[in-house]
């Protein structure tokens, strides 16, 4: 069977039954391939058509190679432009980001793909679905509007206000360009766009079922909709809405799993149902991805007798954010006063996220040191040089561990099948903490701290108190760091910095760093904090908070206008 991806979107984490068997129906772009009569001949085939709207959850996956943390401060690309991975060219030379193009962030094409298809589906439900009953139609329309809201959020976080092309925004229904008036539509403001997105999600939350029967487990539920509201309301500064939605998710039974590391182990997914709210699941040897091939440490190539790539590796900024297991801050200035090495006594999320010199991995010890009077470590360290690559070796002293499949040797021949965690309850708790803090910190400080501390307690870190966070700014500093440690490597950091309007401060005219480790002849180590951008400065200008619209949109849509300063 081809294309047997499973969209396990709800907490049940069960595949959508039959999704693969109707791939041709799901991929139709018009009724030229399959007639409306064929698609709507039965409730099951009609449902598969509706389910196609969930394809948007694949659009920006970590395991699919969309490593947005590399555009921020958490990951460093080890190559300049190999395999079309242009991270360094973008952050150091702004390659591809210009007037008329958002470069790797460009997604305006979602209008003609995801949004148009979903709009057609919505109209078809009204046109053909009545024979299945009003309740059936209401639920399916809620699904389509849920999926469209997620797609519009993708657009809004890149461009700000966008053109709202809905099933009812055209002259005679859908604005698909059939009529001249439908081509020329004005952009909504950013505020109006987020209101539309949140209204759509609220409609979905109110009309989606609590759960699905077994054969359709995996489709959107009320819990999923409320969880996404808790996330996206932060972008809109709708703090009360975000907090309320997070509380709803808790009421619906979400909870953290005991072991953080288990969340990223493919074969333990079924045990993580209480925390994992939205996930794209893959199938061993069938529908897979290449994350292990792209991200494993160099010496793992011996497993498959092939060169590894280590596409992106953690920066020192990422690694140094993790506390000691007793909750004290890590610092290179004094770590050796009470610890035998900089890594062993760090908190559990560090060990679950990052492979470091001395880490246990695949029955061996990771070695990223440079030898002084002795051979280099087996996983090597290669200094990054401008416009070149490191040949798959780390240039920061670290490799990623999160999402890798330890103990699985067939990742090159058969592909990896680690699931993509789209949304989990730990994020909802951090969303709630931020929402309460921003709503009114003096009145809600304890609620904000309680939500944050629930995440910390899972990894046995001490609670943060009002002494640690007496005011909003001190709390937000703690929360921002907590999001790095809990969600790092999961594509949050770049977008978090943008919505906090901190990208200029954190990224612009800055270098990222690594830890060069030298093993001396006597077996001791020397640690050096080094620049990993070859002396070049990263760039994030004020105008980058809202990228330029495509040239075609400005040319063809007479009412379109570009974002400022482009």
């Amino acid at each position: 069977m081809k294309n047997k991806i499973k969209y396990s979107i709800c907490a049940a984490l069960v595949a959508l039954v039959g999704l693969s068997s109707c791939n041709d129906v799901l991929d139709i772009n018009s009724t030229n391939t399959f007639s409306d009569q064929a698609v709507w001949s039965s409730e099951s085939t009609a449902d598969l058509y509706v389910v196609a709207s969930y394809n948007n959850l694949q659009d920006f996956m970590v395991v699919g190679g969309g490593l947005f943390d590399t555009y921020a401060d958490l990951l460093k690309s080890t190559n300049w432009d190999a395999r079309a991975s242009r991270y360094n060219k973008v952050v150091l030379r702004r390659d591809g980001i210009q007037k008329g193009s958002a470069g790797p962030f460009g997604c305006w094409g979602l209008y003609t793909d995801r949004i148009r298809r979903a709009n057609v589906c919505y109209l078809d439900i009204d046109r053909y679905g009545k024979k299945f009953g009003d309740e059936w139609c209401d639920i399916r329309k809620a699904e389509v509007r849920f999926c469209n809201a997620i797609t519009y959020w993708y657009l809004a976080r890149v461009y700000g206000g966008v053109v709202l092309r809905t099933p009812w925004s055209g002259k005679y229904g859908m604005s698909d360009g059939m009529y001249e008036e439908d081509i020329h539509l004005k952009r909504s403001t950013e505020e109006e766009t987020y209101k539309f997105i949140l209204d759509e999600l609220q409609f979905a939350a109110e009309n989606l079922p609590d759960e699905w029967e077994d054969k359709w487990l995996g489709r959107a539920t009320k819990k999923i909709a409320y969880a996404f509201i808790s996330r996206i309301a932060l972008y809109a500064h709708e703090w009360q809405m975000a907090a309320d939605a997070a509380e709803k998710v808790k009421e619906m039974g979400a909870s953290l799993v005991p072991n953080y590391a288990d969340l990223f182990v493919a074969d333990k997914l079924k045990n993580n149902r209480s925390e994992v709210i939205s996930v794209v699941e893959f199938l061993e040897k069938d529908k897979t991805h290449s994350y292990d091939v792209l991200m494993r440490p160099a010496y793992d190539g011996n497993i498959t007798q092939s060169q590894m790539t280590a596409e992106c590796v953690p920066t020192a900024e990422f690694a140094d954010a993790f506390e000691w297991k007793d909750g004290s801050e890590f610092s290179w200035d004094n770590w050796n006063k009470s610890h035998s090495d900089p890594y062993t006594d760090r908190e559990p999320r560090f060990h679950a996220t990052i492979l470091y010199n001395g880490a246990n991995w695949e029955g061996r010890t990771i070695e990223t040191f440079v030898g002084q009077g002795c051979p280099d470590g087996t996983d090597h360290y290669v200094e990054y040089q401008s416009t070149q690559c490191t040949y798959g070796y780390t240039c920061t002293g670290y490799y990623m561990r999160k999402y890798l499949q330890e103990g699985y040797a067939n990742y090159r021949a058969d592909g990896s099948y680690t699931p993509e965690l789209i949304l989990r309850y730990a994020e909802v708790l951090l969303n709630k903490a931020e929402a309460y803090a921003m709503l009114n910190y003096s009145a809600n400080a304890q609620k904000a701290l309680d939500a944050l501390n629930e995440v910390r307690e899972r990894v046995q870190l001490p609670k943060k108190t009002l002494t640690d966070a007496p005011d909003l700014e001190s709390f937000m500093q703690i929360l921002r760091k907590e999001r790095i440690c809990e969600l790092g490597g999961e594509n949050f950091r770049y977008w978090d910095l943008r919505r906090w309007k901190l990208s200029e401060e954190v990224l612009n005219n800055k270098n990222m760093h690594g830890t060069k480790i030298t093993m001396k002849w006597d077996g001791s180590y020397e640690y050096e904090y080094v620049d990993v951008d070859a002396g070049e400065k990263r760039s994030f200008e004020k105008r980058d908070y809202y990228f330029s619209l495509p040239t075609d949109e400005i040319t063809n849509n007479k009412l379109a206008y570009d974002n400022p300063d482009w």
Side-chain angles (χ1 to χ4, degrees), residues 340 357 369-374 517-527:
S340 59
N357 188 65
F369 59 80
V370 175
Q372 187 181 80
C374 60
I517 305 171
T518 302
M519 175 184 272
K520 299 182 178 181
W521 64 271
D522 61 358
S524 62
Y525 292 114
E526 179 179 270
Y527 301 90

Side-chain angles (χ1 to χ4, degrees), residues 254-275:
S255 62
L256 301 179
V257 299
N259 190 334
Y260 178 82
D262 285 352
L263 286 163
F264 308 98
V265 178
D267 297 327
K268 294 185 178 182
L269 181 59
K270 64 181 179 180
N271 300 321
N272 298 331
R273 297 175 182 177
S274 66
E275 179 168 350

Side-chain angles (χ1 to χ4, degrees), residues 18-292:
L19 186 54
S20 61
S21 62
C22 251
N23 182 65
D24 292 330
V25 173
L26 299 184
D27 283 346
I28 62 172
N29 291 305
S30 70
T31 55
N32 293 332
T33 306
F34 278 81
S35 68
D36 293 341
Q37 184 178 2
V39 173
W40 293 93
S41 61
S42 71
E43 188 174 324
S44 294
T45 56
D47 265 322
L48 289 168
Y49 178 38
V50 172
V51 165
S53 299
Y54 290 106
N55 283 338
N56 64 351
L57 294 183
Q58 290 187 96
D59 289 338
F60 301 102
M61 294 194 302
V62 173
V63 297
L67 300 165
F68 283 99
D69 282 350
T70 312
Y71 298 114
D73 55 344
L74 301 190
L75 297 179
K76 166 68 181 178
S77 175
T78 59
N79 70 71
W80 180 248
D81 196 23
R83 298 174 300 280
S85 298
R86 309 175 74 173
Y87 301 111
N88 285 314
K89 294 184 75 173
V90 170
V91 298
L92 298 175
R93 304 283 178 86
R94 299 184 57 81
D95 183 80
I97 299 177
Q98 56 196 358
K99 182 174 178 60
S101 174
F105 308 102
C107 55
W108 202 264
L110 294 176
Y111 277 115
T112 55
D113 182 9
R114 302 284 187 246
I115 291 175
R116 184 185 184 280
R117 182 175 295 183
N119 286 343
V120 170
C121 181
Y122 185 93
L123 294 173
D124 282 350
I125 292 170
D126 271 341
R127 186 178 297 125
Y128 304 111
K130 294 296 185 182
K131 61 184 177 181
F132 305 129
D134 290 341
E135 183 180 8
W136 187 98
C137 291
D138 290 343
I139 291 173
R140 274 67 184 177
K141 286 193 289 187
E143 286 186 271
V144 174
R145 290 173 70 169
F146 163 81
C147 291
N148 246 3
I150 304 304
T151 303
Y152 271 110
W153 169 59
Y154 293 154
L155 288 158
R157 66 182 184 175
V158 172
Y159 302 105
V162 298
V163 179
L164 299 177
R165 297 185 180 274
T166 70
W168 49 84
S169 63
K171 183 176 181 180
Y172 298 108
M174 186 176 71
S175 55
D176 59 357
M178 184 175 294
Y179 300 96
E180 184 74 11
E181 298 91 328
D182 295 345
I183 297 174
H184 308 294
L185 293 179
K186 185 179 179 181
R187 289 174 63 190
S188 297
T189 65
E190 184 176 20
E191 182 180 3
E192 290 167 343
T193 299
Y194 274 112
K195 183 180 186 307
F196 169 80
I197 293 169
L198 292 170
D199 285 347
E200 292 294 277
L201 288 174
Q202 189 65 40
F203 175 87
E206 293 170 359
N207 289 277
L208 288 168
D210 293 331
E211 57 185 19
W212 289 85
E213 59 181 303
D214 287 349
K215 72 173 183 176
W216 288 122
L217 285 175
R219 296 167 72 164
T221 62
K222 292 182 182 295
K223 184 193 293 185
I224 295 173
Y226 281 119
F228 270 104
I229 290 173
S230 83
R231 174 190 291 182
I232 297 174
L234 299 181
Y235 286 76
H237 297 177
E238 292 288 348
W239 314 120
Q240 188 66 62
M241 184 183 294
D244 291 345
E247 296 288 5
K248 284 279 191 181
V249 175
K250 179 180 180 180
E251 291 171 9
M252 293 176 181
S255 62
L256 301 179
V257 299
N259 190 334
Y260 178 82
D262 285 352
L263 286 163
F264 308 98
V265 178
D267 297 327
K268 294 185 178 182
L269 181 59
K270 64 181 179 180
N271 300 321
N272 298 331
R273 297 175 182 177
S274 66
E275 179 168 350
V276 177
I277 297 172
S278 177
V279 60
V280 174
E281 189 177 352
F282 293 83
L283 293 176
E284 184 177 2
K285 296 183 181 181
D286 202 332
K287 183 62 181 180
T288 59
H289 55 80
S290 301
Y291 189 80
D292 280 85

Side-chain angles (χ1 to χ4, degrees), residues 13 86 91 128 131 138 197 204 312 323 373 376 388 410 423 429 491 517:
L13 305 180
R86 309 175 74 173
V91 298
Y128 304 111
K131 61 184 177 181
D138 290 343
I197 293 169
C312 300
E323 300 170 5
D376 291 347
Q388 299 183 26
N410 298 326
L423 203 159
L429 285 169
N491 275 353
I517 305 171

